[in-house]
Amino acid sequence: MKLRAYLYSAIFLLPVGPAFAAIQQTRLHTSSSEPFTVYVAGPEEASQAIVLVHDWFGVSPFYTEAVEKLAAQGYRVVAVDLYDGHRATTHEEAGALLTALHDDLAARKVDAAIKWSAEGNRKVAAMGFSMGVKHVLSAALRNPSVRATILWYGETIKDSDALHHLSGPVLLIDGSQDGPAAADNSLAFSKAADAAGIGVEGMA
């Protein structure tokens, strides 16, 4: 998928405001006082925010470019770093970082980023890439302030009872050339979301 395609996806879910794109690195704390880093861009006065969670490579040039592009559309963008400054350039390095990641700590980081982004009564969307999909989707289930969820190529939840707790629509994007597993994932998620009464849109 081209970067422009996912920008259109975000624009589809939330209206935009004035352009601004400079990235700042900020330290937040989880509910258990654990410090972590987020990359923030976009106007402070924006009424809409997007919380991003990276893929298994961590804070890559693609990830920071996504922050810049979305911020330029007028969103307040908060991109979480689950790897505490570590990042991968090979699949082997990415696999090692993923293995070392503790899901409970990751959940606290994403929840804190969502809470911080929602300050000032902002509307919040959450977007995850690949590995980040399960963290974003789980966070959206826990946090009713998440008004829309965008999932890029990742592990989803197929339990309609669980999905019933989502507070807004979901856009799931899978690759049309990624084989039957991706197609099965999209179909199963769509069926579960429909059963839960959640608005879901798929793109390939």
Side-chain angles (χ1 to χ4, degrees):
M1 285 272 183
K2 292 181 181 289
L3 190 57
R4 181 181 296 177
Y6 101 75
L7 288 176
Y8 288 166
S9 303
I11 293 168
F12 170 77
L13 290 169
L14 292 172
V16 299
F20 184 82
I23 296 178
Q24 295 181 338
Q25 191 171 323
T26 302
R27 295 287 278 176
L28 300 181
H29 291 81
T30 71
S31 58
S32 300
S33 298
E34 297 136 323
F36 67 101
T37 298
V38 294
Y39 295 83
V40 183
E44 292 185 17
E45 69 276 12
S47 60
Q48 299 92 19
I50 302 178
V51 174
L52 302 185
V53 180
H54 55 72
D55 63 15
W56 69 333
F57 282 91
V59 181
S60 64
F62 164 79
Y63 193 52
T64 54
E65 184 178 2
V67 175
E68 293 172 344
K69 293 288 187 177
L70 288 168
Q73 297 297 320
Y75 301 107
R76 185 66 166 171
V77 184
V78 180
V80 181
D81 181 1
L82 295 181
Y83 288 164
D84 296 323
H86 299 287
R87 62 199 66 187
T89 57
T90 67
H91 285 85
E92 291 75 15
E93 292 172 351
L97 288 172
L98 178 60
T99 300
L101 181 64
H102 296 283
D103 285 351
D104 55 347
L105 177 56
R108 291 193 294 273
K109 291 178 178 179
V110 178
D111 286 351
I114 290 170
K115 181 179 179 180
W116 189 68
S117 300
E119 290 179 357
N121 201 32
R122 287 195 189 99
K123 295 179 180 179
V124 178
M127 182 187 297
F129 301 99
S130 189
M131 176 208 77
V133 161
K134 76 169 187 176
H135 297 292
V136 159
L137 184 54
S138 295
L141 291 170
R142 293 189 302 270
N143 293 275
S145 60
V146 175
R147 304 283 293 275
T149 309
I150 307 165
L151 310 174
W152 283 82
Y153 296 94
E155 179 183 343
T156 60
I157 295 171
K158 286 84 175 179
D159 181 350
S160 59
D161 290 336
L163 294 176
H164 181 73
H165 295 287
L166 289 170
S167 298
V170 179
L171 178 65
L172 173 63
I173 303 168
D174 273 316
S176 59
Q177 304 299 317
D178 284 349
D184 290 347
N185 177 60
S186 296
L187 180 60
F189 180 73
S190 295
K191 287 182 176 179
D194 286 342
I198 300 299
V200 62
E201 183 77 21
M203 292 179 63

